[in-house]
Amino acid sequence: MTASLKRDGRPSALRHLLRDETGVAAVLVLLVLAVGIAYPDFMDRSNLTSTAHNASYVGLMAAGMVFALAMREVDLSVGGVYALGMTVGAVCVRDGWSPWAAAVAVLAMSAALGAGNAVIATYLGLPTFITTLATAMLFRGIALALAEGKQISGMPQDHAFFRVVGGDIGGLPTAVWVLIAATAGLAVLLTRTRFGAQVRAVGSNPDAAHFTGLPIVRTRIKAMALSASMAGLAAVLALAFFISGDPTIGQGYELSAIAAAIIGGTPLAGGRGSVPGAVIGALILATVASALVFFSVPINWTTFATGAVILAAVAADSALRRLRERPN
C-alpha cells in the first residue's frame, strides 16, 4: 500500500516541481554560476544589478508579448512604439510639459497604437505579422522626423521624475522594481482573470472560440493594446534613466522580446503562455550579453553566441516539459 502511494505520488510531485518556468530558470542560474566561476567579478552586486536593469526594457516587452503570442498573434511594432514613446516623451518635456504628464501621454499613446494595430489587422483582414511590421517602420519614421534624426536632450535633470523613476529604490533600479510588479500583475491577469482565459481560449482554437461566442475582436484589441502599453512603459523608464530621447533606440528589441517569450515557454502555436518565463528569458539574453564582455568575445560573434544560448535554453526547457508530461 505504501509503495503504491509512493509510486502514485512521485509523478505528481515531479510534475509539481517541473513547472513551466523551471527549465529556463535553471538555465539562468547555471549560466550565471558558470560565468561567475570563470570570472568572479561577474558576480559582483553592481554587475548583476546592471544586468537586471538592462533586461528590464526587453523584459517588459516580452511580458506584454506573451498575450499577443498566446492569441497566435505577433507584435513586431513594440520596438517602434518604444522609440516613438521615448521620443514623444522627450519632446513633450523639452517643450515645457511636466515629465509626469508626458509619461501618462506616452502610456496612453502606446495603448492606442497597439489597439490601432489590432483594428487594422482585423478590419482589413491582414495578418498582425504584416500589419505590425509596417507600423513598426511607420512609428520609427515618425520618431526620426520628430527628433530630426538626432538625440533630444535638455531635460530638467533635477526633477523628481528623473530622480525617482530613473534612479534607485532600496538599492535596485526603479525599472527593476517596475518589472517585478508588472510580471506579478500580468501573470495574474493571464492565468486568473476572464480576459486571460479568453486570450488562451482564442489562441487554443479560434474556430471554437468563435462558435462559443467569445468576443474575439475585442480580446485581440485588448491584447495588442496591452503589448504596446508594455513597450510604452519601457519607453517611460528609459526616458527617465537616460534623461534624453533617442529615435534610433530599440533596434531589434521586438525580436528579442519574441525570443524571450518563446524561451520562457510561450509557443507560437498559441493557447498558453508564461509571463514569468518570458521575463526570465529576457534575463538570460541580458546575462549572455554581459558575459560576452567578460569573455572578450569580438562583437562580430555576439549574435552567434546569443543564438546558441537561445537554442540551448529552448532545448533544456523542452526536455523538462517532456519529462513533466510523461504519462504514469
Side-chain angles (χ1 to χ4, degrees):
M1 180 70 174
T2 303
S4 176
L5 287 174
K6 285 182 179 180
R7 285 195 301 269
D8 293 340
R10 280 173 185 164
S12 176
L14 186 61
R15 290 191 180 92
H16 178 73
L17 288 173
L18 299 178
R19 300 175 62 87
D20 287 348
E21 298 82 10
T22 303
V24 287
V27 169
L28 176 61
V29 171
L30 291 175
L31 182 61
V32 170
L33 290 177
V35 179
I37 291 172
Y39 294 92
D41 288 346
F42 182 82
M43 300 295 289
D44 286 350
R45 186 178 185 278
S46 59
N47 181 66
L48 294 178
T49 300
S50 176
T51 301
H53 188 192
N54 292 336
S56 61
Y57 307 116
V58 171
L60 286 169
M61 295 183 204
M65 187 70 69
V66 168
F67 288 80
L69 293 177
M71 284 195 67
R72 300 189 188 184
E73 311 289 352
V74 178
D75 188 356
L76 292 177
S77 72
V78 291
V81 172
Y82 177 71
L84 180 58
M86 196 173 176
T87 301
V88 168
V91 168
C92 290
V93 174
R94 183 194 62 188
D95 292 348
W97 283 44
S98 163
W100 299 107
V104 172
V106 168
L107 293 175
M109 178 196 72
S110 301
L113 294 176
N117 283 334
V119 170
I120 293 172
T122 298
Y123 291 102
L124 293 185
L126 299 174
T128 53
F129 177 89
I130 299 299
T131 302
T132 56
L133 177 62
T135 56
M137 293 185 284
L138 177 66
F139 299 156
R140 194 171 292 279
I142 294 173
L144 287 167
L146 285 175
E148 298 179 347
K150 57 186 179 182
Q151 191 177 70
I152 301 172
S153 55
M155 309 287 107
Q157 300 185 23
D158 58 343
H159 194 282
F161 172 80
F162 297 104
R163 287 188 285 104
V164 175
V165 180
D168 294 352
I169 299 176
L172 282 178
T174 302
V176 175
W177 288 115
V178 172
L179 178 62
I180 293 171
T183 301
L186 292 179
V188 171
L189 182 64
L190 181 64
T191 60
R192 304 295 182 185
T193 68
R194 182 178 182 181
F195 169 65
Q198 290 173 340
V199 166
R200 289 180 280 112
V202 172
S204 294
N205 192 327
D207 293 333
H210 174 73
F211 284 119
T212 55
L214 287 179
I216 297 177
V217 174
R218 192 188 318 158
T219 303
R220 179 181 292 115
I221 291 174
K222 289 179 180 179
M224 296 297 285
L226 178 60
S227 177
S229 295
M230 290 299 102
L233 179 56
V236 169
L237 294 170
L239 174 63
F241 179 74
F242 294 109
I243 319 180
S244 63
D246 187 349
T248 65
I249 201 168
Q251 296 278 3
Y253 276 19
E254 59 279 349
L255 298 181
S256 295
I258 293 171
I262 294 173
I263 288 172
T266 301
L268 289 173
R272 58 186 173 86
S274 171
V275 174
V279 173
I280 294 172
L283 287 169
I284 287 175
L285 297 180
T287 301
V288 170
S290 179
L292 293 178
V293 175
F294 282 84
F295 283 103
S296 300
V297 175
I299 192 169
N300 292 335
W301 287 93
T302 299
T303 303
F304 172 84
T306 302
V309 171
I310 290 174
L311 285 176
V314 172
D317 184 56
S318 177
L320 281 175
R321 285 176 186 278
R322 287 195 299 269
L323 183 60
R324 178 171 58 88
E325 295 170 358
R326 183 186 301 170
N328 294 347

